[in-house]
């Protein structure tokens, strides 16, 4: 199955639509087409507490294969939690279908904004905003030319505390073929954050050609307070720039990738995109 098959296109006019949306597995080849991510949005405000779990809190949940979204935002407007708050996670979208493509979309929330759950996904020219683990899941996804904006609380100059993280990837086994790759992205905003936390032992995340401001903590990464994961995670950086990209004092398990290592993550071949994205990139 590929994107060349007949599609159902749902045109969504400018405005904010307060509703919770689920795209079921049997509704394949669906496109949501908005008028721009700053003017068209689907909005809800469930939290983990109100929806019986983080995974079910998404304003939009996609289980379908071959889903496309263009020029639209997905928002969860639940209050921004403090680190450690119980039940405050609030997902804007959960993507659990294979071969999904997001072009020019916005994802707005705080903790756990974008649940990149499972499957192969491509995000291009998107805006992703959050505070704690705001891109999480166990998908194999490429994020290209995306803006990553931390909404964590500002910290005082010289403060050492951490109050946010961009990613929490959930790869549990060496036999899984999953991971997040960020290429030609920008990372900024507020707070003092990690690039990723090892939600599961084989967590896999790469940042390449990405501009990072000084909100990134010098150590860069966190093993979820489980040193046994230091031997199994794959956290890599390649040709990044900006004040937050200094790798001198990175966590010892983080890797500064060489050309060969990085080449596996730099384009759509990472997500087998040559098999299903031909008409959309």
């Amino acid at each position: 199955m590929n994107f060349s098959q007949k599609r159902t296109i749902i045109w969504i006019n400018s405005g904010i639509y307060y509703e919770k949306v689920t795209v079921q597995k049997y509704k394949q080849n669906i496109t949501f087409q908005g008028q721009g991510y700053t003017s068209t949005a689907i909005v809800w405000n469930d939290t983990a507490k109100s929806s019986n779990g983080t995974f079910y809190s998404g304003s939009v949940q996609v289980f379908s294969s071959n889903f496309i979204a263009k020029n639209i935002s997905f928002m969860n407007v639940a209050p921004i939690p403090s680190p450690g708050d119980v039940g405050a996670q609030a997902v804007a979208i959960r993507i659990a279908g294979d071969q999904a493509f997001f072009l020019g979309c916005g994802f707005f929330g705080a903790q756990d904004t974008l649940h990149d759950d499972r499957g192969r996904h491509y995000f291009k020219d998107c805006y992703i905003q959050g505070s704690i683990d705001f891109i999480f899941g166990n998908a194999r996804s490429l994020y290209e030319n995306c803006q990553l904006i931390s909404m964590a609380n500002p910290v005082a100059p010289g403060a050492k505390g951490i109050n946010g993280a961009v990613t929490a990837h959930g790869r549990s086994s060496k036999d899984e073929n999953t991971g997040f790759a960020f290429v030609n992205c920008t990372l900024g905003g507020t707070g003092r954050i990690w690039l990723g936390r090892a939600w599961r032992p084989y967590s896999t995340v790469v940042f390449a050609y990405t501009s990072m401001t000084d909100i990134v903590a010098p150590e860069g990464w966190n093993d979820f307070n489980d040193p046994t994961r230091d031997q199994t995670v794959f956290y890599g950086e390649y040709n990044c720039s900006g004040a937050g990209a200094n790798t001198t004092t990175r966590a010892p398990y983080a890797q500064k990738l060489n050309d060969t290592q990085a080449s596996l993550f730099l384009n759509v071949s990472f997500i087998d995109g040559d098999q299903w994205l031909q008409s959309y990139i």
Side-chain angles (χ1 to χ4, degrees), residues 66-96:
N66 306 122
F67 177 83
I68 297 175
K70 297 180 178 180
N71 303 319
I72 187 171
S73 281
F74 307 92
M75 305 177 71
N76 193 319
V77 294
I80 298 176
S82 299
D85 284 357
V86 176
Q89 299 93 332
V91 173
I93 188 170
R94 176 185 181 187
I95 311 118

Side-chain angles (χ1 to χ4, degrees), residues 30-177:
I30 300 290
T31 296
F32 284 6
Q33 175 72 62
Q35 302 299 306
Y37 85 86
T38 61
S39 58
T40 307
I42 299 174
V43 180
W44 200 248
N45 64 349
D46 266 350
T47 65
K49 185 176 181 179
S50 62
S51 60
N52 296 315
T54 302
F55 289 12
Y56 308 103
S57 65
S59 301
V60 175
Q61 301 188 76
V62 179
F63 301 94
S64 167
S65 296
N66 306 122
F67 177 83
I68 297 175
K70 297 180 178 180
N71 303 319
I72 187 171
S73 281
F74 307 92
M75 305 177 71
N76 193 319
V77 294
I80 298 176
S82 299
D85 284 357
V86 176
Q89 299 93 332
V91 173
I93 188 170
R94 176 185 181 187
I95 311 118
D98 193 27
Q99 299 181 359
F101 175 45
F102 295 84
L103 176 65
C105 291
F107 305 88
F108 293 84
Q111 183 170 357
D112 295 352
T113 301
L114 172 49
H115 186 186
D116 199 358
D117 187 10
R118 57 184 181 269
R120 294 165 294 176
H121 309 144
Y122 183 44
F123 300 81
K124 186 175 183 181
D125 301 333
C126 291
Y127 180 98
I128 308 167
Q129 173 185 293
S131 58
I132 303 167
D133 304 339
F134 60 92
I135 303 172
F136 78 106
N138 192 29
R140 175 158 45 115
S141 295
L142 174 64
Y143 295 79
E144 189 170 13
N145 301 329
C146 292
Q147 298 180 63
L148 312 174
I149 304 299
S150 169
M151 297 295 290
N153 290 329
V155 298
K160 300 297 184 182
I162 301 293
N163 60 0
V166 181
T167 67
H169 189 255
R171 181 172 174 174
S172 297
S173 164
K174 64 180 180 180
D175 298 324
E176 294 178 294
N177 184 11

